[in-house]
Amino acid sequence: MTQTELVRHVVASTGLAPETAARLIADVVAYFGETTEQFVRRRHAELRRRHYGNASIWPVIAAELAERRVAAPELSERQLRRIVYG
């Protein structure tokens, strides 16, 4: 399916304006285009902004990684910390 066909499908199935549908599709593609490292860093920063401590963050991120469309390999807490902190 081409991008144009996908936009038409989303417009037809949701009633969104074509511009809004295209923006939505671009956001979804960007979200799922994130590498594991990008996802871990982004989610860590989001959860820190919500005042989560690292002890609470690592299990959340590990669980979310397992549920992504293309699941990342299981990462230990140490591996997650190394992604974020180097």
Side-chain angles (χ1 to χ4, degrees):
M1 181 176 282
T2 68
Q3 181 85 5
T4 303
E5 291 171 326
L6 186 55
V7 170
R8 274 193 228 124
H9 173 74
V10 171
V11 167
S13 66
T14 65
L16 291 173
E19 300 80 21
T20 304
R23 194 169 53 249
L24 171 70
I25 292 165
D27 286 348
V28 170
V29 167
Y31 175 81
F32 285 110
E34 281 183 318
T35 65
T36 298
E37 291 79 9
Q38 290 168 327
F39 176 81
V40 169
R41 287 184 191 109
R42 179 179 60 77
R43 283 300 289 147
H44 182 266
E46 289 171 355
L47 293 168
R48 291 296 292 172
R49 281 193 297 274
R50 293 184 192 169
H51 306 288
Y52 281 68
N54 279 339
S56 301
I57 289 174
W58 306 126
V60 169
I61 292 175
E64 290 175 351
L65 282 171
E67 294 177 358
R68 289 185 53 90
R69 178 139 169 92
V70 178
E74 189 172 327
L75 300 172
S76 69
E77 184 177 317
R78 180 174 187 254
Q79 290 170 308
L80 293 170
R81 280 196 317 265
R82 291 189 83 181
I83 290 171
V84 173
Y85 297 115

